[in-house]
Amino acid sequence: MSTRLNQRWILRERPDGIVKSDLFEKDQVPVPELKQGQVLAQTLYLSFDPTQRAWMAMETYMPIIELGDVMRAGGIVQVIESKHAKFKPGDIVNYLCGWQQYVVFEPDRPGLMPATKLPGHLDPALLLALSLTGLTAYFGLLDIGRPKAGDTVLVSGAAGATGSIVGQIAKIKGCRVIGIAGGAQKCAWLIETGKFDAAIDYKADDLGAKLNELCPHGVNVYFDNVGGPITDEVLLHSAQNARVVLCGAISQYNTPQDQMYGLKNYLSLIINRGTAQGFIILDYLDRAIEGLLCLTKWVEEGRIIQEIDMQHGFDNIPATLARIFTGENLGKQLLQVSEPALPIPTSAVEKMIFNLLRSFVVWRKG
Ligand SMILES: NC(=O)c1ccc[n+]([C@@H]2O[C@H](COP(=O)([O-])OP(=O)(O)OC[C@H]3O[C@@H](n4cnc5c(N)ncnc54)[C@H](OP(=O)(O)O)[C@@H]3O)[C@@H](O)[C@H]2O)c1
């Protein structure tokens, strides 16, 4: 047994309403000795995602987190010891590491998500944001929303991690983009930084009146992150052949299933020959590299601003999860657990191949 200790946040209770810090308990266990085929890594950054609440509460597209288990979370880790030929100390890896300082994984044993080595020359925090919600925005908008130049694209949860990227991709594709977000500060970000054409503050504005004013010909693509009454109102403003991308429904996640808001206006999709389609980003993992290549290029060119809301400190982890449900976050909610303990390996050849491949993919995808 190694002398290194691993601090962890354990799930102790299932949520009832909004997630609170007292659902979790901190403990400390020794880091086990590595066996052949295993890798030991230190957590650098954690991602905070609305779906974590669902993982805590029920069986979904992922198994429920058992009480007493480490809280599940995606993150960026750095390899510090390895008994696997393809992973070496210093490597940066995207992994479902959970709320703990150290994690042992076996790359050859299939888990809930594969451990993915990331290019060392790019900022790991940026890659974490782009690899989760960035890819959700990319595939949800382009594959399901199928925006065409000139379309009116409306995004709810627009100043959040997914929504902010959806709107900026839609601008790249030549659309007119309107974001719905809570509060004047977020709406100002949408216009000034995100370069959206218009913003609606759902907490202060009359949503229906604003949609009449801003979308006189209806909404061609609605990218929905929030569900509930906002989505119900938007449906009334569907254009002919509207596409509704059902990405999430955060307004309903803290509500028991039998009390969730039922949509009243979905018949508008019949009248307007519209479609509504849900998706889970895990279905696109085999195309993740395509999305990451495009997104990183757009970020480097300044065509997409990836806002990161970075919190710090291991003790601050549970409180950070609540921020996305209270709307405190602007952009992607991350938390830095530690600084890299080792230099991050970079290779000029790897960088050159990455850039060449990226130019080709971006050119092909337009
Ligand atoms: N389908 C998939 O594979 C997939 C993958 C990733 C994410 N998602 C979904 O995408 C959505 C956004 O996730 P994210 O990670 O990008 O989070 P996020 O948008 O960065 O954070 C959540 C935001 O939701 C808004 N919100 C919270 N409660 C609300 C309410 N009652 N009504 C309206 N808005 C509310 C808040 O913004 P305001 O201050 O503007 O209210 C908050 O900042 C979620 O529904 C999530 O489940 C789906």
Side-chain angles (χ1 to χ4, degrees):
M1 196 65 75
S2 113
T3 50
R4 209 190 300 260
L5 290 174
N6 182 22
Q7 287 199 71
R8 323 180 299 172
W9 281 104
I10 302 298
L11 180 63
R12 281 290 167 226
E13 262 181 67
R14 304 221 174 271
D16 175 18
I18 209 154
V19 282
K20 299 211 182 75
S21 299
D22 57 9
L23 303 177
F24 309 97
E25 191 179 284
K26 199 163 70 165
D27 76 359
Q28 188 165 279
V29 294
V31 172
E33 291 294 340
L34 280 194
K35 299 195 187 94
Q36 209 47 46
Q38 290 186 330
V39 178
L40 171 65
Q42 180 172 356
T43 308
L44 304 183
Y45 297 101
L46 289 170
S47 171
F48 292 81
D49 298 276
T51 194
Q52 287 174 281
R53 189 199 181 282
W55 295 345
M56 292 161 69
M58 62 184 130
E59 207 73 27
T60 54
Y61 58 96
M62 287 253 193
I64 190 167
I65 305 169
E66 296 299 338
L67 296 180
D69 280 0
V70 174
M71 176 61 192
R72 186 186 300 147
I76 295 286
V77 299
Q78 183 178 45
V79 176
I80 51 175
E81 278 177 49
S82 176
K83 292 197 173 175
H84 188 285
K86 291 198 181 131
F87 289 78
K88 58 181 185 310
D91 281 349
I92 295 295
V93 176
N94 190 352
Y95 187 58
L96 210 51
C97 54
W99 288 1
Q100 53 186 341
Q101 291 174 312
Y102 298 97
V103 63
V104 173
F105 60 91
E106 292 190 49
D108 298 334
R109 179 184 284 205
L112 294 174
M113 268 191 220
T116 309
K117 217 154 72 165
L118 297 174
H121 67 278
L122 293 171
D123 172 11
L126 173 70
L127 285 176
L128 180 57
L130 292 180
S131 66
L132 288 161
T133 39
L135 292 180
T136 302
Y138 180 91
F139 289 112
L141 179 68
L142 298 181
D143 270 45
I144 299 174
R146 302 183 310 283
K148 297 187 293 295
D151 275 353
T152 294
V153 174
L154 179 68
V155 190
S156 62
T162 308
S164 60
I165 302 298
V166 169
Q168 295 179 82
I169 299 175
K171 285 301 297 177
I172 290 173
K173 296 293 169 190
C175 303
R176 193 166 152 269
V177 181
I178 299 160
I180 304 174
Q185 190 209 349
K186 289 189 177 187
C187 288
W189 186 94
L190 292 178
I191 305 287
E192 286 157 21
T193 308
K195 306 292 178 213
F196 284 47
D197 296 285
I200 303 174
D201 176 356
Y202 74 90
K203 291 182 175 166
D205 292 331
D206 176 336
L207 180 60
K210 275 283 181 188
L211 289 172
N212 278 332
E213 175 197 325
L214 293 169
C215 313
H217 307 296
V219 173
N220 302 104
V221 179
Y222 173 47
F223 193 105
D224 187 19
N225 287 309
V226 307
I230 291 178
T231 297
D232 217 11
E233 179 60 41
V234 170
L235 287 176
L236 287 178
H237 300 262
S238 300
Q240 287 279 311
N241 303 115
R243 280 88 68 203
V244 176
V245 183
L246 298 174
C247 176
I250 194 167
S251 73
Q252 303 303 300
Y253 293 169
N254 296 313
T255 308
Q257 194 151 3
D258 59 349
Q259 291 163 39
M260 282 185 183
Y261 183 94
L263 296 177
K264 300 176 184 70
N265 298 327
Y266 71 92
L267 297 191
S268 172
L269 291 177
I270 302 175
I271 295 158
N272 292 299
R273 290 80 166 168
T275 53
Q277 186 181 334
F279 75 105
I280 292 291
I281 189 56
L282 296 182
D283 304 340
Y284 287 93
L285 284 189
D286 58 341
R287 287 177 59 197
I289 186 70
E290 169 203 322
L292 265 185
L293 291 171
C294 285
L295 289 167
T296 53
K297 182 113 173 93
W298 288 332
V299 169
E300 258 177 41
E301 293 170 349
R303 300 173 82 191
I304 283 186
I305 306 294
Q306 172 64 72
E307 196 71 46
I308 292 182
D309 188 329
M310 185 70 79
Q311 300 291 302
H312 297 270
F314 192 77
D315 287 350
N316 203 15
I317 291 173
T320 300
L321 183 57
R323 290 172 61 85
I324 51 182
F325 294 100
T326 52
E328 282 166 88
N329 67 307
L330 175 61
K332 178 68 198 167
Q333 184 69 70
L334 299 181
L335 179 141
Q336 182 168 28
V337 177
S338 64
E339 295 282 350
L342 302 171
I344 299 172
T346 50
S347 139
V349 175
E350 187 186 79
K351 183 174 173 185
M352 191 183 72
I353 294 170
F354 181 90
N355 285 339
L356 275 175
L357 187 63
R358 193 165 71 166
S359 299
F360 175 70
V361 169
V362 173
W363 168 75
R364 249 195 60 214
K365 286 275 149 191

